[in-house]
Amino acid sequence: MRPRLRLILGIGLAAVGGYLILLFIVSLRSQERILGFNQPKPFCGFYLDCHRRVEVAEVARDGAQWIVTLRYRSDAMRAKQSMRGLSARVRAGDRWFERNTRAERAMGSAGLPSMTLDPGEAFTTRLVFDLPDDAEPLLYVWDNHPASRLSEVLLVGDEDSFLHRRTFFALDPGAPTATMGGLSVSVVEVETDTTAGAPHPVPADGVFYLVTLSVEGRGRFEARVVGRDGREWRRAHDVERLLTGDRRLVFDVDERIEAPVLQIRPAGRWRGTVSIPLS
């Protein structure tokens, strides 16, 4: 084998080995996440564009049946998004429960249909699960399409990558908005303020978003606000120090934000992020 070829092969093997080590480190440091109502879980799929969203919109009970209203949503600006190959089941304690597809058909539900969403479009469907009376259920939705599974199994940081911990939806309305490890966070109130003479400085060229949180458990976290176009704003710590009361985050934005989302990540470089819609 020629020296140059051996060098190229060695560099390639080292790069692959380094990537696999990174994959293992990120997956092993990941934490199970629990999302609340109207909190989206993104799916990246084969093209890794991550504009597909699934979220729980509502939960109702009819005896032993839990009826989950699931919303498909696209936050893409231009391209259509294909929603196909999704699967779902519920974990309650150490048991798993599959969908009651017969009950879904009886109520006219399409279940988990394969469909294409236009940019910004949303679609709701209903899933049915037969669960014990004392269940504290968590819904797990995953992309079961072969192309997506193949592309994501070795993607660093993707939930469907090798050994990565899962993201669930809480089906109990009293559950925290978001749980990351031992830290639970929910949004209590969102205010926007452009009024002169407010009890705190108001930027002349923009708007403050004041987000009041309820935080349970211990742990530091990072937070930012992100708009539909991907622009982001970090916290205005100087203004936060002037406020009193519960934990309030302030974001100094330079315009009204379209579809603002609060992104929270526990301190630590490789921890997962949860997103809580603010509108």
Side-chain angles (χ1 to χ4, degrees):
M1 184 180 296
R2 296 180 179 179
R4 179 174 295 180
L5 182 58
R6 286 201 301 269
L7 177 61
I8 295 174
L9 182 60
I11 294 174
L13 290 175
V16 171
Y19 185 87
L20 292 177
I21 291 173
L22 178 63
L23 174 68
F24 276 97
I25 291 174
V26 173
S27 292
L28 292 176
R29 286 177 60 89
S30 65
Q31 294 180 321
E32 181 177 288
R33 299 189 298 160
I34 301 176
L35 307 179
F37 288 12
N38 301 310
Q39 186 175 352
K41 173 181 176 180
F43 290 90
C44 295
F46 182 76
Y47 295 104
L48 309 181
D49 52 7
C50 302
H51 288 299
R52 299 182 300 160
R53 299 285 192 269
V54 169
E55 58 195 41
V56 171
E58 185 180 359
V59 176
R61 295 186 63 178
D62 183 4
Q65 289 187 343
W66 289 62
I67 304 169
V68 181
T69 301
L70 197 70
R71 182 183 295 118
Y72 291 5
R73 186 162 58 82
S74 167
D75 70 350
M77 300 294 290
R78 298 182 182 85
K80 294 177 180 288
Q81 299 295 310
S82 176
M83 306 290 289
R84 56 179 181 168
L86 294 182
S87 297
R89 59 180 178 172
V90 162
R91 189 184 76 184
D94 57 358
R95 297 177 59 190
W96 287 93
F97 297 85
E98 303 298 331
R99 293 162 47 205
N100 184 339
T101 54
R102 179 178 297 180
E104 290 173 4
R105 289 193 295 269
M107 67 173 57
S109 170
L112 289 169
S114 295
M115 61 187 308
T116 299
L117 296 180
D118 290 327
E121 185 181 4
F123 170 82
T124 57
T125 185
R126 289 183 294 178
L127 310 181
V128 179
F129 298 91
D130 296 321
L131 304 175
D133 291 338
D134 59 349
E136 296 181 358
L138 298 174
L139 175 67
Y140 177 51
V141 182
W142 74 99
D143 190 341
N144 206 25
H145 192 273
S148 297
R149 294 180 63 184
L150 179 63
S151 65
E152 295 176 351
V153 69
L154 295 177
L155 180 62
V156 172
D158 190 277
E159 183 202 339
D160 292 324
S161 62
F162 186 60
L163 294 180
H164 201 284
R165 289 177 175 83
R166 294 168 173 155
T167 298
F168 293 88
F169 295 97
L171 300 184
D172 180 0
T177 300
T179 300
M180 302 156 286
L183 186 67
S184 297
V185 180
S186 59
V187 173
V188 176
E189 185 179 16
V190 180
E191 306 168 71
T192 59
D193 197 337
T194 56
T195 306
H200 44 77
V202 175
D205 59 345
V207 177
F208 273 148
Y209 269 68
L210 288 77
V211 182
T212 303
L213 298 180
S214 173
V215 180
E216 300 179 5
R218 294 185 176 181
R220 296 182 297 109
F221 61 88
E222 303 167 0
R224 60 183 179 179
V225 167
V226 179
R228 184 188 295 275
D229 59 0
R231 297 182 62 191
E232 62 181 59
W233 293 267
R234 301 191 180 278
R235 293 165 61 186
H237 293 280
D238 55 334
V239 179
E240 290 178 0
R241 287 193 289 268
L242 302 176
L243 304 180
T244 59
D246 295 333
R247 187 189 292 268
R248 302 176 74 187
L249 309 184
V250 180
F251 300 89
D252 180 359
V253 302
D254 56 7
E255 59 184 11
R256 295 285 181 182
I257 308 172
E258 183 180 359
V261 170
L262 177 68
Q263 291 188 348
I264 298 176
R265 183 179 67 178
R269 186 175 180 183
W270 302 115
R271 301 296 176 86
T273 300
V274 297
S275 299
I276 303 176
L278 298 182
S279 64

